[in-house]
């Protein structure tokens, strides 16, 4: 189903009840290659050696002598094999536990007692999703057979839609507008579009419209004739001409001045440009791909961007989702960068510890994939052993998002409050009790509970 289509899909069942294991094995073995594990360590061994496609984990899994349970196993397993689809089996736990499991990367969950027909459907669907993902990988590797552009990694639903769109529009000559927050991969997508088009092998020219002052940008884009302005000591071709027969990637298009917007519009209308100081139109064959992290529609509203240019540019748009909306991709990307940077630094392959994986899942990634890439680059250099800890990636070691349980906070507040009142009454218990509207006995109980002694 995955790499070797001849073999039966592999399904791993992890449950500490032998009865449940054999019941499930009996039900599934005609369809799948069923592997069984009764504890977390055995499960991890099997995941490493047999690379199952799908696994079911008992969420309440106990492991003798250790505090490992199903949730920890989930995080460990995704670290070892991020592509595996994991289905959590819950007992009487509340739904929140199951939802937390999904947040941590589980594919789905279902409740005990096990309904075998339901389980069969869930597994079948998980395998289908896994198959789509591997087809998607194939598409990516086809994409990367173009020129020197990197793989675009992603298995989340939103990225799958992006790949599909790239596949359908790459070979056309349409103008494409790529949008998305900074670091989401806009330039990577622009290169992928070029590499899959008939223009592959021809120039791919990039220009960042936000990085160059307007007057220089005009000359950069359109070139100039000799003597067009003081510094124009010779004729110069611009980026448009350099991109002839290829693709011109206009990055940060939202920064383009209104004057240059007019010139770009003219090119989009009749495929001609004029050099500065020249009056001969030059006909060119250039495909335009533009990118922006602004909302161009807003710019149009503010009259900072021409609406007619906007409509020409946005015939086809590819919207790259922020990384925080691609939970499925985080660990996949992390492992990809880890492999790349380990190899580049001649370091033995590292792995992430459980806290790092959990941290990556809960983090918001304001700098998107670029931030992830940078954090992992740093971690590969800083990690002391072969295991990457949150601090190696520049995270505080403990999850700042981990909240104190309400009960703990209540007790802390209660203790502080009692101390305050006691101090006010000079540690006179009767007066403090009356002020707090509790009996003396109750207050004595509380003093004992909180270990409060006169200070
Ligand atoms: N899906 C992805 N797979 C692999 N690498 C990625 C992916 N998305 C982004 N990257 C990497 O992250 C970095 C940032 O990507 P890119 O430069 O394409 O982002 P961008 O959207 O153009 O950002 P900006 O708006 O800041 O220019 C690059 O090094 C790129 O290779
Ligand atoms: Mg960019």
């Amino acid at each position: 189903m995955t790499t070797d289509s001849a073999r039966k899909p592999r399904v791993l069942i992890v449950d500490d009840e032998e009865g449940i294991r054999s019941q499930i094995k009996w039900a599934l073995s005609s369809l799948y290659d069923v592997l069984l594990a009764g504890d977390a360590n055995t499960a991890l061994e099997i995941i490493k050696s047999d690379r199952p496609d799908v696994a079911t984990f008992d969420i309440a899994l106990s492991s003798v002598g250790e505090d490992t349970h199903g949730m920890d196993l989930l995080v460990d397993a995704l670290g070892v094999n991020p592509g595996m689809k994991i289905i959590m089996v819950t007992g009487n736990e509340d739904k929140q536990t199951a939802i937390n499991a999904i947040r941590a990367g589980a594919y789905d969950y279902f409740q005990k007692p096990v309904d075998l027909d339901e389980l069969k459907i869930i597994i079948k669907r998980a395998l289908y999703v896994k198959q789509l993902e591997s087809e998607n990988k194939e598409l990516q590797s086809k994409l990367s057979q173009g020129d020197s552009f990197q793989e675009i990694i992603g298995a989340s639903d939103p990225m799958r839609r992006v790949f599909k769109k790239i596949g359908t529009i790459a070979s056309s000559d349409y103008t494409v507008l790529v949008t998305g927050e900074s670091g989401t991969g806009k330039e990577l997508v622009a290169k992928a579009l070029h590499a899959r088009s008939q223009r592959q092998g021809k120039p791919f020219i990039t220009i960042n419209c936000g990085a160059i002052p307007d007057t220089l940008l005009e000359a950069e884009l359109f070139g100039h004739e000799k003597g067009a302005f003081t510094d124009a000591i010779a004729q110069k071709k611009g980026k448009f001409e350099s991109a002839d027969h290829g693709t011109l990637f206009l990055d940060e298009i939202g920064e383009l001045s209104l004057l240059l917007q007019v010139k770009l519009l003219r090119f989009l209308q009749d495929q001609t440009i004029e050099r500065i100081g020249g009056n001969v139109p030059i006909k060119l064959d250039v495909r335009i791909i533009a990118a922006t992290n602004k909302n161009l529609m807003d710019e149009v509203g503010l009259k900072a961007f021409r609406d007619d240019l906007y409509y020409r540019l946005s015939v086809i748009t590819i919207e790259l989702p922020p990384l925080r909306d691609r939970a499925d991709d985080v660990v996949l990307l992390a492992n990809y960068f880890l492999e790349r940077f380990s190899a580049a630094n001649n370091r033995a392959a590292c792995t992430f510890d459980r806290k790092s994986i959990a941290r990556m899942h809960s983090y918001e990634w304001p700098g998107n994939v670029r931030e992830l890439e940078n954090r992992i680059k740093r971690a590969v250099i800083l990690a002391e052993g072969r295991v990457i800890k949150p601090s190696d990636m520049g995270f505080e070691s403990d999850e700042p998002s981990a909240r104190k349980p309400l009960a703990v906070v209540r007790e802390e507040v209660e203790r502080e409050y009692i101390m305050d009142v006691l101090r006010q009454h000079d540690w006179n218990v009767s007066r403090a009790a009356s002020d707090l509207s509790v009996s003396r006995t109750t207050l004595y109980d509380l003093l004992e509970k909180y270990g409060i002694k006169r200070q």
Side-chain angles (χ1 to χ4, degrees):
M1 188 114 204
T2 49
T3 43
D4 174 4
S5 55
R7 77 165 166 88
K8 272 198 216 168
R10 272 185 204 144
V11 178
L12 168 66
I13 308 297
V14 188
D15 201 302
D16 47 12
E17 282 179 58
E18 143 90 273
I20 291 192
R21 292 199 303 267
S22 46
Q23 185 196 11
I24 299 181
K25 177 162 185 157
W26 172 82
L28 298 179
S29 53
S30 64
L31 302 165
Y32 307 121
D33 202 352
V34 182
L35 307 159
L36 302 177
D39 61 79
N41 290 339
T42 317
L44 276 176
E45 285 310 310
I46 294 178
I47 292 165
K48 280 182 203 153
S49 56
D50 296 273
R51 321 245 355 132
D53 301 294
V54 173
T56 70
F57 292 174
D58 182 7
I59 214 161
L61 187 70
S62 55
S63 150
V64 193
E66 280 177 54
D67 62 349
T68 316
H69 64 67
M71 283 291 274
D72 297 326
L73 176 59
L74 168 70
V75 173
D76 290 344
L78 285 174
V80 176
N81 183 1
M84 185 171 65
K85 296 286 147 221
I86 299 171
I87 299 157
M88 301 305 284
V89 185
T90 65
N92 294 322
E93 293 83 7
D94 58 7
K95 208 162 179 175
Q96 193 54 45
T97 321
I99 291 167
N100 289 343
I102 304 267
R103 281 221 181 97
Y107 165 74
D108 204 346
Y109 73 94
F110 77 96
Q111 266 183 321
K112 276 185 185 174
V114 178
D115 173 337
L116 291 171
D117 286 330
E118 189 190 341
L119 178 62
K120 278 184 195 165
I121 292 170
I122 295 179
I123 292 180
K124 196 169 162 196
R125 210 175 37 173
L127 283 164
Y128 177 64
V129 169
K130 181 132 199 297
Q131 187 192 353
L132 284 180
E133 285 174 5
S134 60
E135 283 170 10
N136 166 42
K137 273 215 176 121
E138 257 170 55
L139 171 63
Q140 286 170 25
S141 66
K142 268 190 210 143
L143 281 171
S144 61
Q145 281 159 17
D147 40 16
S148 63
F149 89 94
Q150 283 164 247
E151 253 187 301
I152 310 178
I153 305 295
S156 58
D157 283 345
M159 281 313 280
R160 211 172 289 145
R161 283 194 287 273
V162 167
F163 293 135
K164 208 165 159 211
K165 211 159 185 185
I166 292 178
T168 42
I169 63 178
S171 60
S172 74
D173 247 353
Y174 290 122
T175 302
V176 180
L177 178 66
V178 189
T179 63
E181 289 178 14
S182 181
T184 46
K186 296 186 291 295
E187 184 157 356
L188 210 54
V189 166
K191 288 179 178 160
L193 285 167
H194 173 74
R196 291 211 78 205
S197 71
Q198 276 106 16
R199 295 169 184 270
Q200 184 241 327
K202 299 286 184 333
F204 176 87
I205 307 285
T206 299
I207 186 152
N208 186 327
C209 306
I212 310 172
D214 207 44
T215 42
L216 283 181
L217 183 61
E218 184 178 8
E220 277 296 305
L221 280 171
F222 299 97
H224 56 74
E225 296 295 350
K226 187 175 171 180
F229 42 86
T230 328
D231 293 338
I233 41 175
Q235 184 209 63
K236 186 187 162 206
K237 283 186 181 173
K239 300 276 186 193
F240 267 96
E241 283 177 76
S242 311
D244 202 13
H245 305 296
T247 303
L248 179 61
F249 175 49
L250 299 172
D251 205 358
E252 295 192 35
I253 189 84
E255 303 298 323
L256 207 61
S257 70
L258 285 164
L259 172 81
L260 293 182
Q261 289 176 30
V262 177
K263 290 195 132 191
L264 173 59
L265 183 63
R266 163 145 184 234
F267 171 78
L268 290 172
Q269 282 163 344
D270 60 17
Q271 283 75 51
T272 58
I273 59 142
E274 273 172 29
R275 294 190 194 127
I276 302 174
N279 46 16
V280 190
I282 304 168
K283 185 106 185 145
L284 295 172
D285 166 30
V286 175
R287 179 193 198 179
I288 302 287
I289 300 177
T292 181
N293 52 24
K294 286 188 170 173
N295 182 336
L296 275 194
M297 217 32 213
D298 289 350
E299 301 294 306
V300 170
L302 294 168
K303 302 245 179 292
F305 205 86
R306 293 180 64 103
D307 56 355
D308 46 6
L309 178 59
Y310 173 72
Y311 293 117
R312 283 241 173 213
L313 285 175
S314 62
V315 180
I316 293 175
T317 57
I318 295 185
E319 206 182 311
L320 287 172
L323 188 55
R324 63 183 166 280
D325 293 345
R326 308 185 217 164
D328 291 351
D329 290 347
V330 174
V331 175
L332 198 68
L333 277 161
N335 278 313
Y336 164 76
F337 289 130
L338 189 59
E339 233 168 74
R340 243 181 58 197
F341 296 133
S342 303
N345 287 287
N346 293 321
R347 287 199 56 154
C350 298
T351 51
F352 297 103
D353 73 2
R354 183 185 300 155
K355 278 193 173 162
S356 300
I357 301 224
R359 192 72 190 92
M360 286 192 280
H361 274 301
S362 65
Y363 188 58
E364 289 272 306
W365 300 108
N368 295 297
V369 186
R370 179 178 295 112
E371 181 183 357
L372 176 67
E373 181 176 5
N374 288 338
R375 283 189 186 266
I376 297 203
K377 198 183 279 175
R378 163 198 159 117
V380 169
I381 296 163
L382 292 186
E384 278 161 10
R386 289 176 56 177
V387 176
I388 290 179
K389 301 187 294 301
S391 56
D392 299 325
M393 288 190 286
F395 290 124
E396 291 149 33
S397 354
D398 277 320
E399 267 191 79
S401 63
R403 291 207 175 271
K404 286 182 189 171
L406 187 58
V408 172
V409 177
R410 263 195 203 128
E411 290 188 350
E412 281 175 6
V413 172
E414 192 171 55
R415 184 176 194 279
E416 254 331 285
Y417 191 57
I418 294 171
M419 296 266 284
D420 254 13
V421 174
L422 276 166
R423 272 190 221 111
Q424 268 181 31
H425 293 285
D426 236 356
W427 295 86
N428 181 315
V429 175
S430 304
R431 286 211 307 268
S434 131
D435 200 6
L436 288 163
S437 310
V438 294
S439 69
R440 285 182 58 213
T441 347
T442 307
L443 185 53
Y444 274 119
D445 285 348
L446 288 168
L447 297 187
E448 192 176 322
K449 174 177 172 190
Y450 292 129
I452 297 175
K453 292 204 181 69
R454 182 176 182 144
Q455 288 169 346

